[in-house]
Short mmCIF file of all heavy atoms in Angstrom, two decimals:
data_model
loop_
_atom_site.label_atom_id
_atom_site.label_comp_id
_atom_site.label_asym_id
_atom_site.label_seq_id
_atom_site.Cartn_x
_atom_site.Cartn_y
_atom_site.Cartn_z
N ALA A 8 90.02 18.85 -49.01
CA ALA A 8 90.56 19.04 -47.66
C ALA A 8 90.25 20.43 -47.17
O ALA A 8 90.07 21.36 -47.96
CB ALA A 8 92.08 18.82 -47.68
N ALA A 24 84.47 22.72 -26.88
CA ALA A 24 83.16 23.12 -26.30
C ALA A 24 82.17 23.41 -27.41
O ALA A 24 82.55 23.97 -28.45
CB ALA A 24 83.35 24.37 -25.42
N PRO A 25 80.94 23.04 -27.26
CA PRO A 25 79.96 23.27 -28.31
C PRO A 25 79.70 24.76 -28.48
O PRO A 25 79.93 25.57 -27.57
CB PRO A 25 78.70 22.56 -27.81
CG PRO A 25 78.87 22.53 -26.34
CD PRO A 25 80.35 22.37 -26.09
N PRO A 49 70.26 17.38 -32.72
CA PRO A 49 71.16 16.48 -33.47
C PRO A 49 72.54 17.09 -33.59
O PRO A 49 72.71 18.31 -33.66
CB PRO A 49 70.48 16.36 -34.84
CG PRO A 49 69.66 17.58 -34.97
CD PRO A 49 69.20 17.92 -33.59
N SER A 50 73.53 16.23 -33.54
CA SER A 50 74.93 16.69 -33.62
C SER A 50 75.27 17.06 -35.06
O SER A 50 74.65 16.61 -36.01
CB SER A 50 75.87 15.59 -33.12
OG SER A 50 75.70 14.41 -33.89
N PRO A 61 75.50 16.94 -27.08
CA PRO A 61 74.93 18.11 -26.38
C PRO A 61 74.71 17.83 -24.91
O PRO A 61 74.64 16.68 -24.50
CB PRO A 61 73.61 18.34 -27.12
CG PRO A 61 73.22 16.97 -27.55
CD PRO A 61 74.51 16.26 -27.90
N ALA A 77 59.77 25.66 0.41
CA ALA A 77 58.43 25.99 0.92
C ALA A 77 58.55 26.55 2.32
O ALA A 77 59.23 25.98 3.17
CB ALA A 77 57.55 24.75 0.91
N PRO A 177 33.85 60.77 38.78
CA PRO A 177 35.00 59.90 38.95
C PRO A 177 35.82 59.84 37.68
O PRO A 177 35.41 60.23 36.60
CB PRO A 177 34.36 58.55 39.28
CG PRO A 177 33.00 58.87 39.78
CD PRO A 177 32.59 60.10 39.05
N SER A 194 32.16 76.61 19.69
CA SER A 194 32.27 77.62 18.65
C SER A 194 33.31 78.68 19.01
O SER A 194 33.89 79.32 18.14
CB SER A 194 30.91 78.28 18.42
OG SER A 194 30.44 78.84 19.63
N LEU A 214 54.70 94.75 3.29
CA LEU A 214 53.89 94.78 2.08
C LEU A 214 52.52 95.38 2.34
O LEU A 214 51.90 95.99 1.47
CB LEU A 214 53.74 93.36 1.51
CG LEU A 214 52.93 93.21 0.24
CD1 LEU A 214 53.58 94.01 -0.91
CD2 LEU A 214 52.78 91.75 -0.16
N ASP A 216 51.79 97.91 3.90
CA ASP A 216 51.77 99.37 3.81
C ASP A 216 51.44 99.84 2.40
O ASP A 216 50.99 100.97 2.22
CB ASP A 216 53.12 99.93 4.25
CG ASP A 216 53.38 99.63 5.71
OD1 ASP A 216 52.38 99.39 6.44
OD2 ASP A 216 54.55 99.63 6.12
N PRO A 257 9.42 74.80 25.86
CA PRO A 257 10.27 73.94 26.68
C PRO A 257 9.55 72.64 27.02
O PRO A 257 8.35 72.62 27.29
CB PRO A 257 10.53 74.79 27.93
CG PRO A 257 9.40 75.76 27.98
CD PRO A 257 9.04 76.05 26.56
N VAL A 267 7.92 57.23 36.72
CA VAL A 267 7.13 56.93 37.92
C VAL A 267 6.00 57.95 37.97
O VAL A 267 6.23 59.15 38.20
CB VAL A 267 7.99 56.99 39.19
CG1 VAL A 267 7.14 56.70 40.42
CG2 VAL A 267 9.15 56.01 39.10
N ARG A 279 -2.04 59.77 21.99
CA ARG A 279 -0.78 59.21 21.51
C ARG A 279 0.39 60.12 21.91
O ARG A 279 0.32 61.33 21.74
CB ARG A 279 -0.82 59.05 19.99
CG ARG A 279 0.37 58.30 19.42
CD ARG A 279 0.23 58.19 17.93
NE ARG A 279 -0.96 57.44 17.57
CZ ARG A 279 -1.00 56.12 17.46
NH1 ARG A 279 0.08 55.40 17.71
NH2 ARG A 279 -2.12 55.52 17.10
N ASP A 325 -0.09 53.82 30.30
CA ASP A 325 0.55 54.12 31.58
C ASP A 325 1.38 52.95 32.08
O ASP A 325 2.45 53.13 32.66
CB ASP A 325 -0.51 54.49 32.62
CG ASP A 325 -1.14 55.85 32.34
OD1 ASP A 325 -0.61 56.58 31.48
OD2 ASP A 325 -2.17 56.18 32.97
N ASP A 334 1.47 40.63 37.33
CA ASP A 334 0.21 39.92 37.17
C ASP A 334 -0.94 40.89 36.91
O ASP A 334 -1.91 40.55 36.21
CB ASP A 334 -0.08 39.09 38.43
CG ASP A 334 0.96 38.01 38.66
OD1 ASP A 334 1.69 37.69 37.70
OD2 ASP A 334 1.06 37.50 39.79
N LEU A 454 -21.65 28.93 3.98
CA LEU A 454 -21.68 28.96 2.52
C LEU A 454 -20.96 27.74 1.93
O LEU A 454 -21.42 27.15 0.95
CB LEU A 454 -21.03 30.25 2.01
CG LEU A 454 -21.86 31.52 2.16
CD1 LEU A 454 -21.02 32.75 1.83
CD2 LEU A 454 -23.09 31.46 1.26
N THR A 495 -33.49 34.17 -3.65
CA THR A 495 -34.94 34.35 -3.51
C THR A 495 -35.71 33.44 -4.44
O THR A 495 -36.72 32.82 -4.04
CB THR A 495 -35.30 35.82 -3.79
OG1 THR A 495 -34.53 36.68 -2.95
CG2 THR A 495 -36.77 36.06 -3.54
N LYS A 530 -7.22 44.50 9.00
CA LYS A 530 -6.22 45.24 8.26
C LYS A 530 -4.95 44.40 8.09
O LYS A 530 -4.38 43.93 9.06
CB LYS A 530 -5.89 46.54 8.98
CG LYS A 530 -7.07 47.50 9.05
CD LYS A 530 -6.69 48.76 9.79
CE LYS A 530 -7.88 49.71 9.85
NZ LYS A 530 -7.55 50.94 10.59
#
Side-chain angles (χ1 to χ4, degrees):
S50 59
S194 57
L214 181 61
D216 296 338
V267 179
R279 188 179 299 273
D325 289 349
D334 297 342
L454 285 171
T495 305
K530 296 179 180 179

